[in-house]
Amino acid sequence: MDQRPPRLASLDVLRGLTIVGMIVVNSASYLHYVSGYAQFAGLEHAAWRGFTLADAVFPAFVFMTGASIPLALAARGAPEQGIGGLDGPTLRRLLVRSGRLFLLGLILSNLYWMATPESVPFRPMGVLQRLALCFLAAAVLYKTLGPRARLILAVAILALYWPLTLMPFPDGATDLRGPGANFVGWFDRLVLGAHVYVPGPLGYDPEGLLSTLPAVAQALLGVAAGEWLMAPQSRNGRGALGLLIAGTACIAGGLVWGLAFPISKELWTSSFVLLSTGVALVLLAGLHQALDVEGRRLPGSGFLTDFGINAIFAYSLHMLASIMLTAHLLKIPYVWATPFVGDRAAALIPVAIFVGLIWMVVAYMRKRGWVVKV
């Protein structure tokens, strides 16, 4: 008998939503900085402190990476989680997968460096590199620790990350309100040197080294959500209700903690983790109830599922094809629409066309049953 858990539509849809969000945010930013197009404030990341729509996207994907782990490993027939549950073949598979994802991230983060190495510094960290590290850590911990121990570890990481950011550093005075003026930024400068993403005497990398620790905690929170979805009680309304309660509590906790420990994506603060995780949990609760429990087909769910099933491929394709955004053909609708809808709304038209072109590829892949696994 096949004991594999069913594929949850809610996870595919939410994963697709995060990937589409990342593509839209990156594409709008690309047009803003390269072509000078106007941009809605919500599609810009907070300069240092704060929380925008753009800031919610990447942490949601980190969370979803963790949420997918229990189902993915169970589908492979891997040993149960808990102490001693990590066997040799499973560990090798996790190392190989995370290594491939990290290598892909290195390539995508350094496309400009490969073209002009004399003018662009090599960047060892990046979005996919952080996902690779979070996936590896969360998967190994899923196989070696029980659910309660993992939650305790996640809470401990978030709690200890706060004093870590406040530690004194040689370059100046700690000020969490200022970019890079903290021990975490100093550590990036010490280890990465000229390869930090944000240059300068207080340079740092928003996907840096120590700031990956709270991202691992976020992935572990995702693992807990994935386990909850696999539990028998999640097949009725209790599953969505539990996610909703947890999400509301995380949002409230993040906002309150943010009064003392600023909400900052660039530093990936613990308050930011709670707030962004809460948003993801609330969305997952609604999608789980509608799609998994009630079996409804929401408008756009097929479109998002196409992206969700081949999420890493879609993200990689948009990185490789982003130069298309500056094509003359995509400027024509922007110029035409600007007098009617304004420059900010008109700037989204090339972005929407770009997303549509990527969707045509991933929709065809889904139709043919092609799933690219890194």
Side-chain angles (χ1 to χ4, degrees):
M1 182 180 295
D2 189 356
Q3 297 297 324
R4 292 179 298 177
R7 191 176 188 103
L8 296 178
S10 58
L11 292 181
D12 286 331
V13 169
L14 185 53
R15 191 184 302 109
L17 180 62
T18 61
I19 287 298
V20 171
M22 291 172 75
I23 295 174
V24 169
V25 168
N26 290 346
S27 300
S29 178
Y30 183 85
L31 284 174
H32 176 67
Y33 289 104
V34 174
S35 300
Y37 288 15
Q39 187 177 12
F40 284 108
L43 294 180
E44 296 183 75
H45 291 295
W48 177 251
R49 295 183 297 165
F51 192 80
T52 68
L53 180 63
D55 293 326
V57 179
F58 183 31
F61 197 72
V62 173
F63 170 84
M64 292 301 298
T65 297
S68 301
I69 287 173
L71 289 93
L73 292 183
R76 283 184 172 272
E80 293 297 323
Q81 72 270 23
I83 297 174
L86 184 65
D87 60 359
T90 301
L91 177 59
R92 285 193 296 272
R93 187 162 53 243
L94 295 176
L95 288 170
V96 169
R97 183 177 179 184
S98 60
R100 289 199 302 256
L101 186 57
F102 196 96
L103 178 60
L104 178 61
L106 278 178
I107 295 172
L108 295 178
S109 297
N110 293 285
L111 293 175
Y112 292 108
W113 173 79
M114 287 185 283
T116 56
E118 69 282 351
S119 58
V120 179
F122 179 82
R123 187 188 181 198
M125 300 299 290
V127 169
L128 295 188
Q129 295 93 308
R130 171 161 286 183
L131 282 177
L133 295 175
C134 289
F135 165 77
L136 179 61
V140 169
L141 291 169
Y142 171 73
K143 302 305 298 181
T144 54
L145 297 178
R148 179 173 296 184
R150 276 185 265 110
L151 276 178
I152 292 174
L153 178 61
V155 171
I157 292 173
L158 294 178
L160 294 175
Y161 185 64
W162 187 9
L164 180 66
T165 62
L166 294 171
M167 288 179 58
F169 64 99
D171 291 0
T174 298
D175 183 4
L176 297 185
R177 298 168 299 177
N182 54 76
F183 181 82
V184 173
W186 171 81
F187 190 82
D188 281 343
R189 295 189 292 275
L190 176 67
V191 178
L192 302 178
H195 306 299
V196 292
Y197 185 71
V198 178
L202 291 178
Y204 63 94
D205 194 313
E207 281 83 48
L209 300 170
L210 293 181
S211 60
T212 299
L213 291 173
V216 169
Q218 187 157 39
L220 289 175
L221 296 178
V223 170
E227 288 182 300
W228 177 259
L229 289 174
M230 290 177 62
Q233 70 269 15
S234 291
R235 295 168 188 164
N236 52 43
R238 288 181 59 193
L241 179 60
L243 294 174
L244 179 61
I245 293 173
T248 304
C250 283
I251 291 173
L255 291 174
V256 172
W257 201 352
L259 298 175
F261 191 16
I263 296 170
S264 172
K265 174 189 176 295
E266 300 291 275
L267 190 54
W268 214 273
T269 56
S270 304
S271 55
F272 171 78
V273 169
L274 288 183
L275 177 58
S276 56
T277 297
V279 172
L281 279 167
V282 170
L283 289 173
L284 183 58
L287 291 172
H288 174 62
Q289 180 65 29
L291 299 174
D292 302 328
V293 178
E294 299 177 8
R296 288 191 283 165
R297 183 176 177 84
L298 299 178
S301 60
F303 168 81
L304 294 175
T305 300
D306 291 337
F307 280 92
I309 289 178
N310 277 296
I312 298 298
F313 176 84
Y315 178 84
S316 302
L317 180 60
H318 110 273
M319 291 287 289
L320 293 170
S322 59
I323 190 65
M324 293 174 55
L325 288 162
T326 59
H328 179 70
L329 285 176
L330 291 186
K331 292 181 180 179
I332 295 175
Y334 167 75
V335 173
W336 177 85
T338 296
F340 301 98
V341 299
D343 53 357
R344 286 180 173 82
L348 293 179
I349 296 176
V351 173
I353 295 173
F354 183 60
V355 171
L357 292 173
I358 295 176
W359 170 72
M360 292 174 63
V361 176
V362 294
Y364 179 77
M365 293 174 64
R366 182 187 175 196
K367 183 178 180 180
R368 298 298 300 268
W370 298 343
V371 178
V372 176
K373 296 182 179 180
V374 179

